[in-house]
């Protein structure tokens, strides 16, 4: 199982670059960032610095969307970084949340996301693609490559991940829900005539290493609010019809609005409705042994990467604990490749 890390692009950008360098030294495989340009700094500028000052980690957004940049511009950004640094990027993408809602826009449609995924991947590989009825390509791309990992909760987005995604991103670390979601993606892949084993599965969630569980819960309760915001959209569309697991729909009944000014931040005042049980299920908390137990359970379900959010008050210690204890322990007991 690979271990990645997810940062927000808070200033100074040099601190994000420093933490990315530290992550590579500690054995992390991926460095991801949020992509919401009104709330944080522009990630693609920062990626260039991260890639220039590292040699191994793969870098990308968790997640970008089809709505805030022209699709050909997004493709060019990835293709340029890959030309400069040797195909070390990955594109995490979804319908769009904070980046679009803070502009007053709604998330894009599944149809738009499908077209966007296909176009970006084709252009980044140096192949011709159809853009609004017009053939386009990058004549300067040589030996290009880019994997498209789709973030999803709802049934149509899960199906899309199975049909066209190179990877699937689930933003919560509950094994029961992960099993449900992974099965949905694999089923969609099979129906589309694809090999479901070829799709990479990434679980992303806050991780906090330590013994003060009560404090850790308060520092990561924001995540249940963020997930609840996505789930509320699905419940609004489908009702409580089984379109997503009941464990996801039950806890949002006490939800009252959401303030994007506090999006992804510890101490978010709009997350009081999130109970401790949900924090424990969605996040990875406690001492090292508790992290290893949950990660091994996720790995057994077919999860290829755990990407830990470091939005709390003890980033350095958790990063170090993963590098010194958790990553080596997982590698020492790694199962045979699928």
């Amino acid at each position: 199982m690979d271990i990645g890390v997810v940062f927000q692009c808070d200033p100074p950008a040099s601190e994000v670059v420093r933490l990315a360098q530290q992550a590579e030294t500690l054995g992390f495989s991926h460095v991801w960032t949020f992509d919401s340009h009104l709330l944080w700094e522009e990630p693609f500028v920062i990626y260039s610095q991260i890639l220039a000052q590292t040699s191994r980690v793969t870098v990308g957004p968790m997640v970008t969307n089809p709505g805030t940049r022209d699709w050909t511009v997004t493709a060019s950004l990835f293709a340029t970084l890959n030309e400069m640094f040797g195909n070390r990027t990955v594109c995490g993408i979804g319908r769009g949340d904070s980046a679009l809602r803070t502009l007053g826009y709604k998330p894009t449609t599944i149809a738009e996301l499908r077209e966007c995924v296909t176009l970006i991947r084709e252009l980044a590989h140096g192949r011709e693609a159809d853009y609004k009825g017009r053939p386009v390509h990058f004549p300067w791309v040589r030996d290009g490559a880019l994997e498209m990992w789709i973030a999803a909760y709802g049934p149509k987005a899960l199906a899309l991940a199975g049909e066209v995604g190179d990877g699937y991103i689930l933003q919560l670390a509950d094994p029961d829900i992960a099993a449900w979601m992974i099965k949905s993606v694999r089923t969609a892949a099979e129906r589309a005539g694809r090999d479901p084993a070829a799709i990479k599965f990434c679980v992303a969630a806050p991780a906090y290493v330590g013994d003060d569980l009560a404090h850790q819960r308060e520092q990561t309760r924001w995540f249940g609010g963020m997930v609840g915001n996505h789930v509320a959209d699905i419940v609004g569309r489908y009702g409580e019809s089984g379109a997503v697991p009941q464990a996801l729909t039950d806890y949002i009944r006490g939800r009252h609005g959401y303030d994007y000014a506090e999006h992804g931040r510890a101490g978010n005042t709009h997350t009081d409705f999130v109970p401790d049980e949900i924090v424990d299920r969605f996040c990875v908390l406690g001492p090292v042994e508790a992290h290893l137990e949950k990660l091994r359970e996720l790995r057994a379900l077919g999860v290829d990467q755990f990407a830990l959010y470091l939005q709390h008050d003890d980033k350095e210690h958790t990063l170090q604990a993963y590098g010194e204890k958790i990553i080596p322990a997982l590698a020492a007991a790694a199962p045979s490749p699928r």
Side-chain angles (χ1 to χ4, degrees), residues 152-155 158 168 170 172 174-184 227 231 234-235 238-253 278 281-282:
Y153 294 107
L158 289 167
Y168 164 59
L170 172 62
L172 57 83
D174 177 80
D176 292 336
I177 295 174
W180 193 98
M181 298 292 193
I182 289 171
K183 181 180 178 181
S184 296
V227 172
V231 174
I234 299 168
V235 173
Y238 298 100
E240 297 185 17
S241 61
V244 295
Q246 187 174 347
L248 275 178
T249 60
D250 284 350
Y251 86 97
I252 68 166
R253 289 179 182 140
I278 288 294
R281 291 181 65 172
F282 286 9

Side-chain angles (χ1 to χ4, degrees), residues 324-337:
E324 293 179 354
K325 299 178 181 179
I326 295 172
I327 292 175
L330 288 172
S336 300

Side-chain angles (χ1 to χ4, degrees), residues 259-332:
D259 185 356
Y260 279 96
E262 298 181 317
H263 184 62
R265 297 192 183 279
N268 187 321
T269 58
H270 293 77
T271 59
D272 291 344
F273 71 95
V274 181
D276 287 350
E277 177 191 1
I278 288 294
V279 179
D280 293 347
R281 291 181 65 172
F282 286 9
C283 303
V284 186
L285 310 177
V288 166
E289 293 74 19
H291 288 247
L292 287 170
E293 180 181 359
K294 194 165 198 178
L295 294 180
R296 285 168 178 152
E297 187 175 0
L298 289 168
R299 182 172 64 185
L301 295 174
V303 174
D304 299 286
Q305 180 184 156
F306 173 62
L308 61 103
Y309 287 102
L310 270 188
Q311 284 74 52
H312 55 66
D313 63 359
D314 199 14
K315 296 180 179 66
E316 299 276 357
H317 175 258
T318 292
L319 201 66
Q320 201 76 23
Y322 263 75
E324 293 179 354
K325 299 178 181 179
I326 295 172
I327 292 175
L330 288 172

Side-chain angles (χ1 to χ4, degrees), residues 62-63 92-95 113 149-153 157 161 167-171:
M62 188 176 285
V63 296
I93 190 167
R95 291 178 57 214
L113 180 56
W149 293 21
I150 297 174
Y153 294 107
Y168 164 59
I169 297 170
L170 172 62
Q171 291 168 306

Side-chain angles (χ1 to χ4, degrees), residues 111-277:
E112 289 171 325
L113 180 56
R114 181 188 297 272
E115 292 177 15
C116 180
V117 166
T118 301
L119 178 93
I120 291 173
R121 181 166 48 209
E122 293 300 291
L123 291 180
H125 278 79
R127 299 188 288 255
E128 185 177 283
D130 180 85
Y131 180 61
K132 300 180 180 179
R134 176 190 181 99
V136 293
H137 77 289
F138 297 150
W140 45 270
V141 172
R142 299 288 184 273
D143 301 318
L146 181 67
E147 290 187 349
M148 304 294 294
W149 293 21
I150 297 174
Y153 294 107
K156 291 183 179 180
L158 289 167
L160 180 66
E163 291 162 2
V164 303
D166 299 298
Y168 164 59
I169 297 170
L170 172 62
Q171 291 168 306
L172 57 83
D174 177 80
D176 292 336
I177 295 174
W180 193 98
M181 298 292 193
I182 289 171
K183 181 180 178 181
S184 296
V185 173
R186 285 177 171 161
T187 299
E190 289 176 351
R191 288 175 178 167
R194 303 181 69 202
D195 178 5
I199 300 173
K200 297 177 182 177
F201 293 97
C202 174
V203 162
Y208 195 139
V209 177
D211 296 318
D212 189 346
L213 189 56
H215 178 73
Q216 292 176 21
R217 285 170 175 158
E218 291 310 310
Q219 284 287 302
T220 57
R221 198 175 303 276
W222 64 267
F223 185 66
M226 187 184 84
V227 172
N229 201 49
H230 292 292
V231 174
D233 276 351
I234 299 168
V235 173
R237 179 180 294 270
Y238 298 100
E240 297 185 17
S241 61
V244 295
Q246 187 174 347
L248 275 178
T249 60
D250 284 350
Y251 86 97
I252 68 166
R253 289 179 182 140
R255 175 183 176 274
H256 300 287
Y258 191 79
D259 185 356
Y260 279 96
E262 298 181 317
H263 184 62
R265 297 192 183 279
N268 187 321
T269 58
H270 293 77
T271 59
D272 291 344
F273 71 95
V274 181
D276 287 350
E277 177 191 1

